[in-house]
Amino acid sequence: MTITRKYIRQCRTLFPVYGNSERTFLNRLKVQINEHLDLFPDLSYEELVKQFGTPKKVIMEYYANADDDYLLKKIDVSKKLKRFFFSLFQTPSPP
C-alpha cells in the first residue's frame, strides 16, 4: 500500500458521514499529496504526516471550514437512516 493510499484511507475512516463533499475533499487531498510526492519521491509516511498533519487534524480542519447547514443536514440524514434500519430489525416476526 502506498503512503498516499494509507493516508487517505485513514482520513476516510474518520468521517462519521461520507458523501460527495467528503469524497471531493479526499480526491483533492490525494492530488495534493501526489504532487508533493512527485517533488519528494523518497518521503516517508512520518514525513508526510509532518507536512500535511495527522489524518485526525486534517478531518478536524475540514469540519471547521465546512458549511454548518451542510453538516446539520448530513447528521439529520444519518440519524434518520439509523432509526429506519433499527426499526427494520426490531419488527417482530410473524408467528
PDB file of all heavy atoms in Angstrom, residues 2 4-5 8 24-37:
ATOM      1  N   THR A   2       0.589   2.149  -0.898  1.00  0.00           N
ATOM      2  CA  THR A   2       1.377   3.378  -0.969  1.00  0.00           C
ATOM      3  C   THR A   2       1.066   4.269   0.226  1.00  0.00           C
ATOM      4  O   THR A   2       0.015   4.130   0.868  1.00  0.00           O
ATOM      5  CB  THR A   2       1.077   4.137  -2.271  1.00  0.00           C
ATOM      6  OG1 THR A   2      -0.278   4.579  -2.234  1.00  0.00           O
ATOM      7  CG2 THR A   2       1.315   3.278  -3.504  1.00  0.00           C
ATOM      8  N   THR A   4       0.323   7.361   0.123  1.00  0.00           N
ATOM      9  CA  THR A   4      -0.843   8.194  -0.191  1.00  0.00           C
ATOM     10  C   THR A   4      -2.124   7.441   0.126  1.00  0.00           C
ATOM     11  O   THR A   4      -3.019   7.980   0.781  1.00  0.00           O
ATOM     12  CB  THR A   4      -0.843   8.587  -1.682  1.00  0.00           C
ATOM     13  OG1 THR A   4       0.370   9.259  -1.997  1.00  0.00           O
ATOM     14  CG2 THR A   4      -2.023   9.463  -2.016  1.00  0.00           C
ATOM     15  N   ARG A   5      -2.191   6.217  -0.321  1.00  0.00           N
ATOM     16  CA  ARG A   5      -3.396   5.413  -0.085  1.00  0.00           C
ATOM     17  C   ARG A   5      -3.626   5.182   1.413  1.00  0.00           C
ATOM     18  O   ARG A   5      -4.753   5.272   1.899  1.00  0.00           O
ATOM     19  CB  ARG A   5      -3.271   4.090  -0.822  1.00  0.00           C
ATOM     20  CG  ARG A   5      -4.524   3.272  -0.780  1.00  0.00           C
ATOM     21  CD  ARG A   5      -4.421   2.092  -1.684  1.00  0.00           C
ATOM     22  NE  ARG A   5      -5.657   1.325  -1.578  1.00  0.00           N
ATOM     23  CZ  ARG A   5      -5.839   0.157  -2.111  1.00  0.00           C
ATOM     24  NH1 ARG A   5      -4.879  -0.397  -2.816  1.00  0.00           N
ATOM     25  NH2 ARG A   5      -6.976  -0.469  -1.967  1.00  0.00           N
ATOM     26  N   ILE A   8      -4.886   8.557   2.928  1.00  0.00           N
ATOM     27  CA  ILE A   8      -6.266   8.848   2.524  1.00  0.00           C
ATOM     28  C   ILE A   8      -7.230   7.882   3.196  1.00  0.00           C
ATOM     29  O   ILE A   8      -8.307   8.274   3.654  1.00  0.00           O
ATOM     30  CB  ILE A   8      -6.408   8.808   0.980  1.00  0.00           C
ATOM     31  CG1 ILE A   8      -5.575   9.915   0.337  1.00  0.00           C
ATOM     32  CG2 ILE A   8      -7.861   8.890   0.549  1.00  0.00           C
ATOM     33  CD1 ILE A   8      -6.004  11.327   0.686  1.00  0.00           C
ATOM     34  N   THR A  24     -15.010  14.549  -2.620  1.00  0.00           N
ATOM     35  CA  THR A  24     -14.302  15.593  -3.358  1.00  0.00           C
ATOM     36  C   THR A  24     -13.107  16.104  -2.563  1.00  0.00           C
ATOM     37  O   THR A  24     -12.013  16.288  -3.107  1.00  0.00           O
ATOM     38  CB  THR A  24     -15.259  16.758  -3.686  1.00  0.00           C
ATOM     39  OG1 THR A  24     -16.346  16.259  -4.458  1.00  0.00           O
ATOM     40  CG2 THR A  24     -14.550  17.859  -4.440  1.00  0.00           C
ATOM     41  N   PHE A  25     -13.317  16.326  -1.270  1.00  0.00           N
ATOM     42  CA  PHE A  25     -12.228  16.783  -0.406  1.00  0.00           C
ATOM     43  C   PHE A  25     -11.071  15.791  -0.421  1.00  0.00           C
ATOM     44  O   PHE A  25      -9.909  16.175  -0.578  1.00  0.00           O
ATOM     45  CB  PHE A  25     -12.751  16.988   1.017  1.00  0.00           C
ATOM     46  CG  PHE A  25     -11.671  17.252   2.014  1.00  0.00           C
ATOM     47  CD1 PHE A  25     -11.080  18.503   2.101  1.00  0.00           C
ATOM     48  CD2 PHE A  25     -11.219  16.251   2.865  1.00  0.00           C
ATOM     49  CE1 PHE A  25     -10.071  18.751   3.020  1.00  0.00           C
ATOM     50  CE2 PHE A  25     -10.214  16.485   3.786  1.00  0.00           C
ATOM     51  CZ  PHE A  25      -9.632  17.738   3.852  1.00  0.00           C
ATOM     52  N   LEU A  26     -11.381  14.510  -0.271  1.00  0.00           N
ATOM     53  CA  LEU A  26     -10.322  13.497  -0.244  1.00  0.00           C
ATOM     54  C   LEU A  26      -9.629  13.369  -1.600  1.00  0.00           C
ATOM     55  O   LEU A  26      -8.417  13.154  -1.650  1.00  0.00           O
ATOM     56  CB  LEU A  26     -10.880  12.147   0.209  1.00  0.00           C
ATOM     57  CG  LEU A  26     -11.219  12.043   1.690  1.00  0.00           C
ATOM     58  CD1 LEU A  26     -11.748  10.666   2.020  1.00  0.00           C
ATOM     59  CD2 LEU A  26     -10.024  12.373   2.566  1.00  0.00           C
ATOM     60  N   ASN A  27     -10.372  13.506  -2.675  1.00  0.00           N
ATOM     61  CA  ASN A  27      -9.749  13.463  -4.006  1.00  0.00           C
ATOM     62  C   ASN A  27      -8.779  14.622  -4.199  1.00  0.00           C
ATOM     63  O   ASN A  27      -7.688  14.447  -4.744  1.00  0.00           O
ATOM     64  CB  ASN A  27     -10.808  13.453  -5.105  1.00  0.00           C
ATOM     65  CG  ASN A  27     -11.484  12.119  -5.238  1.00  0.00           C
ATOM     66  OD1 ASN A  27     -10.933  11.088  -4.864  1.00  0.00           O
ATOM     67  ND2 ASN A  27     -12.697  12.123  -5.766  1.00  0.00           N
ATOM     68  N   ARG A  28      -9.167  15.802  -3.750  1.00  0.00           N
ATOM     69  CA  ARG A  28      -8.275  16.962  -3.858  1.00  0.00           C
ATOM     70  C   ARG A  28      -7.045  16.786  -2.969  1.00  0.00           C
ATOM     71  O   ARG A  28      -5.924  17.140  -3.360  1.00  0.00           O
ATOM     72  CB  ARG A  28      -9.024  18.236  -3.490  1.00  0.00           C
ATOM     73  CG  ARG A  28     -10.027  18.645  -4.522  1.00  0.00           C
ATOM     74  CD  ARG A  28     -10.763  19.891  -4.132  1.00  0.00           C
ATOM     75  NE  ARG A  28     -11.753  20.233  -5.147  1.00  0.00           N
ATOM     76  CZ  ARG A  28     -12.742  21.074  -4.942  1.00  0.00           C
ATOM     77  NH1 ARG A  28     -12.880  21.668  -3.766  1.00  0.00           N
ATOM     78  NH2 ARG A  28     -13.600  21.336  -5.903  1.00  0.00           N
ATOM     79  N   LEU A  29      -7.255  16.260  -1.781  1.00  0.00           N
ATOM     80  CA  LEU A  29      -6.142  15.996  -0.871  1.00  0.00           C
ATOM     81  C   LEU A  29      -5.182  14.980  -1.487  1.00  0.00           C
ATOM     82  O   LEU A  29      -3.964  15.141  -1.425  1.00  0.00           O
ATOM     83  CB  LEU A  29      -6.665  15.499   0.478  1.00  0.00           C
ATOM     84  CG  LEU A  29      -5.619  15.162   1.536  1.00  0.00           C
ATOM     85  CD1 LEU A  29      -4.794  16.398   1.901  1.00  0.00           C
ATOM     86  CD2 LEU A  29      -6.300  14.592   2.784  1.00  0.00           C
ATOM     87  N   LYS A  30      -5.742  13.969  -2.107  1.00  0.00           N
ATOM     88  CA  LYS A  30      -4.929  12.938  -2.760  1.00  0.00           C
ATOM     89  C   LYS A  30      -4.071  13.550  -3.871  1.00  0.00           C
ATOM     90  O   LYS A  30      -2.892  13.227  -4.013  1.00  0.00           O
ATOM     91  CB  LYS A  30      -5.831  11.853  -3.325  1.00  0.00           C
ATOM     92  CG  LYS A  30      -5.119  10.679  -3.911  1.00  0.00           C
ATOM     93  CD  LYS A  30      -6.135   9.630  -4.356  1.00  0.00           C
ATOM     94  CE  LYS A  30      -5.477   8.414  -4.933  1.00  0.00           C
ATOM     95  NZ  LYS A  30      -6.468   7.404  -5.336  1.00  0.00           N
ATOM     96  N   VAL A  31      -4.645  14.447  -4.659  1.00  0.00           N
ATOM     97  CA  VAL A  31      -3.903  15.119  -5.723  1.00  0.00           C
ATOM     98  C   VAL A  31      -2.762  15.944  -5.127  1.00  0.00           C
ATOM     99  O   VAL A  31      -1.625  15.906  -5.619  1.00  0.00           O
ATOM    100  CB  VAL A  31      -4.837  16.006  -6.577  1.00  0.00           C
ATOM    101  CG1 VAL A  31      -4.055  16.932  -7.484  1.00  0.00           C
ATOM    102  CG2 VAL A  31      -5.790  15.142  -7.376  1.00  0.00           C
ATOM    103  N   GLN A  32      -3.051  16.668  -4.049  1.00  0.00           N
ATOM    104  CA  GLN A  32      -2.017  17.473  -3.398  1.00  0.00           C
ATOM    105  C   GLN A  32      -0.885  16.595  -2.873  1.00  0.00           C
ATOM    106  O   GLN A  32       0.295  16.941  -3.017  1.00  0.00           O
ATOM    107  CB  GLN A  32      -2.612  18.285  -2.248  1.00  0.00           C
ATOM    108  CG  GLN A  32      -3.499  19.411  -2.687  1.00  0.00           C
ATOM    109  CD  GLN A  32      -4.125  20.137  -1.507  1.00  0.00           C
ATOM    110  OE1 GLN A  32      -4.135  19.638  -0.377  1.00  0.00           O
ATOM    111  NE2 GLN A  32      -4.660  21.317  -1.761  1.00  0.00           N
ATOM    112  N   ILE A  33      -1.241  15.485  -2.266  1.00  0.00           N
ATOM    113  CA  ILE A  33      -0.222  14.575  -1.733  1.00  0.00           C
ATOM    114  C   ILE A  33       0.619  14.003  -2.865  1.00  0.00           C
ATOM    115  O   ILE A  33       1.855  13.961  -2.770  1.00  0.00           O
ATOM    116  CB  ILE A  33      -0.868  13.450  -0.898  1.00  0.00           C
ATOM    117  CG1 ILE A  33      -1.464  14.032   0.383  1.00  0.00           C
ATOM    118  CG2 ILE A  33       0.140  12.364  -0.567  1.00  0.00           C
ATOM    119  CD1 ILE A  33      -2.308  13.052   1.171  1.00  0.00           C
ATOM    120  N   ASN A  34      -0.030  13.579  -3.939  1.00  0.00           N
ATOM    121  CA  ASN A  34       0.716  13.018  -5.073  1.00  0.00           C
ATOM    122  C   ASN A  34       1.632  14.053  -5.715  1.00  0.00           C
ATOM    123  O   ASN A  34       2.755  13.729  -6.122  1.00  0.00           O
ATOM    124  CB  ASN A  34      -0.235  12.421  -6.099  1.00  0.00           C
ATOM    125  CG  ASN A  34      -0.808  11.104  -5.639  1.00  0.00           C
ATOM    126  OD1 ASN A  34      -0.180  10.357  -4.886  1.00  0.00           O
ATOM    127  ND2 ASN A  34      -2.012  10.795  -6.081  1.00  0.00           N
ATOM    128  N   GLU A  35       1.191  15.298  -5.817  1.00  0.00           N
ATOM    129  CA  GLU A  35       2.048  16.358  -6.343  1.00  0.00           C
ATOM    130  C   GLU A  35       3.247  16.580  -5.432  1.00  0.00           C
ATOM    131  O   GLU A  35       4.371  16.781  -5.898  1.00  0.00           O
ATOM    132  CB  GLU A  35       1.256  17.656  -6.508  1.00  0.00           C
ATOM    133  CG  GLU A  35       0.277  17.629  -7.657  1.00  0.00           C
ATOM    134  CD  GLU A  35      -0.605  18.854  -7.723  1.00  0.00           C
ATOM    135  OE1 GLU A  35      -0.555  19.711  -6.800  1.00  0.00           O
ATOM    136  OE2 GLU A  35      -1.373  18.964  -8.695  1.00  0.00           O
ATOM    137  N   HIS A  36       3.005  16.521  -4.132  1.00  0.00           N
ATOM    138  CA  HIS A  36       4.097  16.684  -3.170  1.00  0.00           C
ATOM    139  C   HIS A  36       5.074  15.517  -3.272  1.00  0.00           C
ATOM    140  O   HIS A  36       6.294  15.709  -3.198  1.00  0.00           O
ATOM    141  CB  HIS A  36       3.525  16.796  -1.748  1.00  0.00           C
ATOM    142  CG  HIS A  36       4.526  17.200  -0.726  1.00  0.00           C
ATOM    143  ND1 HIS A  36       5.000  18.484  -0.627  1.00  0.00           N
ATOM    144  CD2 HIS A  36       5.163  16.483   0.235  1.00  0.00           C
ATOM    145  CE1 HIS A  36       5.886  18.545   0.355  1.00  0.00           C
ATOM    146  NE2 HIS A  36       5.994  17.340   0.892  1.00  0.00           N
ATOM    147  N   LEU A  37       4.541  14.319  -3.463  1.00  0.00           N
ATOM    148  CA  LEU A  37       5.399  13.145  -3.601  1.00  0.00           C
ATOM    149  C   LEU A  37       6.186  13.161  -4.911  1.00  0.00           C
ATOM    150  O   LEU A  37       7.268  12.567  -4.987  1.00  0.00           O
ATOM    151  CB  LEU A  37       4.577  11.857  -3.483  1.00  0.00           C
ATOM    152  CG  LEU A  37       4.086  11.527  -2.074  1.00  0.00           C
ATOM    153  CD1 LEU A  37       3.156  10.322  -2.111  1.00  0.00           C
ATOM    154  CD2 LEU A  37       5.246  11.285  -1.135  1.00  0.00           C
TER     155      LEU A  37
END
